[in-house]
């Protein structure tokens, strides 16, 4: 798949056309992984075999593997679910081709690993000291965005089942049930970070594969309903420099300056 | 999240470690169960080992507060790291909870 250089509306450095991307798979990969990778415009390589261009690591969601994938010169980690690369987001791969960072995990793995901490460590490693000031805010916003994507996005835990005294037992029960659900727990959570070359901003997006939601109307309602719902979203809106939704609310795009 | 409970007579010291977030529900329920028999105590939640708290984790603190109040106990939040304290302040939780640093 050819990626063309588009004029960027958000002041992000233009991408390099046709930048190759290699998927590095430690155990060689099973089934139709070669075909799946090819459909995403990637070739496969064993560790140490990759040549030129960016490379994404893929495999089971084991912490050491995730950390290796997110470390320079890698551009991220993609968990191989029971269906391999199925449902991997095209947008995430585009970010990887442009030198950004990608973490794509099933909901089950995103829940059981310290997803936020892994991503924050990778961001601290990548950003020059002069651009690290925003990372305190990034940590709060990214934490809330992951939480929303896992609970309300992919696991479809309804917003009214808030964590409160009355609902806590029910909330726990629903979370447990949904994490056991093969379909819901295999949906992907994808986190991407773009590091614009010239602009003093960092763009972080969190995607889920749930039913989506109307971000604009939620943002409009939050002024008087802060305590009851959307507390995480209200925090994000308060702290980041820019916020918008894409893909019918399944992707939350946050800009930090 | 991991926790350790130490009964010190008039007060109970609870050290929390890791992340108090959307994935901490079951561990937090374990903590509440363990604190269930503590009546009329000062429960000190030592947050020194907490690397992160999110809005779900804050909700859990409010649950604990209400739960403990029924047993005549109060909760004090101790030693939050800068980022955790910032979160408590941003959400105005510092107006509800006593915070010791």
């Amino acid at each position: 798949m050819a990626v063309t250089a588009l004029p960027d509306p958000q002041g992000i450095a233009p991408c390099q056309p046709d930048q190759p991307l290699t998927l590095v798979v430690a155990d060689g990969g099973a089934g139709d992984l070669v075909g799946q990778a090819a459909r995403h415009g990637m070739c496969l390589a064993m560790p140490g075999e990759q040549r030129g261009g960016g490379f994404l690591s893929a495999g089971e969601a084991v912490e050491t593997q995730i950390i290796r994938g997110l470390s320079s010169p890698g551009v991220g980690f993609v968990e191989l679910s029971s269906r391999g690369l199925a449902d991997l987001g095209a947008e995430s791969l585009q970010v990887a081709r442009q030198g950004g960072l990608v973490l794509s995990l099933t909901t089950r793995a995103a829940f059981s690993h310290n997803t936020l901490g892994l991503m924050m460590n990778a961001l601290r490693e990548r950003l020059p000291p002069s651009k690290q000031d925003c990372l305190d805010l990034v940590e709060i916003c990214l934490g809330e965005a992951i939480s929303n994507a896992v609970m309300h996005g992919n696991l479809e835990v309804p917003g009214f089942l808030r964590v409160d005294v009355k609902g806590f037992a029910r909330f726990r029960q629903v979370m447990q049930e949904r994490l056991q659900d093969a379909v819901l727990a295999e949906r992907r959570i994808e986190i991407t970070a773009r590091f614009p070359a010239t602009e003093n901003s960092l763009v972080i997006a969190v995607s889920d594969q749930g039913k989506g939601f109307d971000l604009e109307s939620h943002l409009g309602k939050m002024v008087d309903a802060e305590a009851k719902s959307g507390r995480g979203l209200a925090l994000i809106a308060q702290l980041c420099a820019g916020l918008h939704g894409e893909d019918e609310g399944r992707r939350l795009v946050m800009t930090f300056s | 999240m991991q926790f350790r409970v130490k009964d010190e007579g008039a007060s109970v010291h609870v050290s929390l470690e890791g992340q108090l977030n959307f994935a901490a529900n079951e561990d937090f329920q374990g903590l509440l169960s363990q604190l269930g028999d503590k009546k009329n105590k000062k429960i000190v939640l030592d947050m020194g080992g907490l690397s992160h708290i999110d809005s779900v984790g804050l909700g859990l603190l409010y649950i604990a507060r209400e739960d403990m109040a029924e047993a005549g106990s109060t909760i004090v939040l101790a030693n939050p790291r800068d980022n955790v304290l910032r979160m408590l302040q941003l959400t105005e939780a510092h107006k509800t909870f006593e915070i010791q640093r």
Side-chain angles (χ1 to χ4, degrees), chain A residues 20-238:
Chain A
L21 188 62
T22 305
L23 192 72
V24 178
V25 185
D27 59 8
D32 187 33
L33 200 52
V34 175
Q36 284 186 332
R39 278 195 287 283
H40 286 294
M42 294 184 287
C43 45
L44 281 187
M46 296 282 282
E49 276 185 347
Q50 69 270 15
R51 294 182 297 271
F55 68 90
L56 266 177
S57 296
E60 279 181 47
V62 179
E63 188 151 309
T64 50
Q65 300 294 329
I66 299 173
I67 291 170
R68 194 169 305 153
L70 289 171
S71 300
S72 261
V75 293
F77 178 84
V78 173
E79 180 182 358
L80 296 179
S81 72
S82 64
R83 298 188 298 128
L85 294 175
D87 301 328
L88 186 60
E91 167 70 19
S92 301
L93 291 178
Q94 196 182 337
V95 170
R97 285 178 196 283
Q98 295 171 1
L101 198 60
V102 174
L103 179 58
S104 175
L105 297 174
T106 62
T107 306
R108 190 184 294 115
F111 185 88
S112 61
H113 287 86
N114 179 2
T115 307
L116 173 67
L118 291 166
M119 198 64 194
M120 288 307 300
N121 285 342
L123 291 174
R124 283 189 194 97
E125 185 202 315
R126 305 256 162 170
L127 285 175
S130 63
K131 291 186 179 179
Q132 299 224 353
D133 289 352
C134 67
L135 288 185
D136 289 349
L137 298 182
V138 170
E139 186 172 30
I140 293 175
C141 295
L142 182 55
E144 297 298 331
I146 294 171
S147 167
N148 281 341
V150 168
M151 292 193 311
H152 303 311
N154 284 354
L155 297 183
E156 297 180 13
V157 176
F160 61 82
L161 260 189
R162 295 291 303 176
V163 187
D164 60 30
V165 177
K166 275 187 190 162
F168 188 40
R170 178 78 186 126
F171 175 75
R172 281 173 38 233
Q173 185 196 349
V174 171
M175 284 288 281
Q176 286 301 311
E177 283 169 7
R178 306 272 161 106
L179 282 166
Q180 302 298 320
D181 183 302
V183 173
L184 300 185
E186 285 249 314
R187 287 175 168 176
R188 287 182 183 275
I189 297 285
E190 301 194 319
I191 306 166
T192 62
R194 293 171 184 258
F195 311 96
T198 52
E199 302 289 319
N200 258 336
S201 61
L202 174 66
V203 183
I204 308 236
V206 178
S207 310
D208 63 60
Q209 297 176 335
K211 292 176 174 166
F213 82 114
D214 187 347
L215 176 67
E216 306 305 325
S217 88
H218 271 253
L219 288 176
K221 272 193 298 195
M222 270 179 329
V223 181
D224 53 72
E226 190 182 353
K228 285 279 180 204
S229 68
R231 192 162 39 183
L233 202 54
L235 260 179
I236 295 172
Q238 183 188 343

Side-chain angles (χ1 to χ4, degrees), chain B residues 61-78:
Chain B
L61 290 180
Y62 282 93
I63 289 172
R65 181 174 176 272
E66 221 167 290
D67 220 38
M68 296 302 109
E70 281 175 26
S73 296
T74 54
I75 283 187
V76 175
L77 307 181

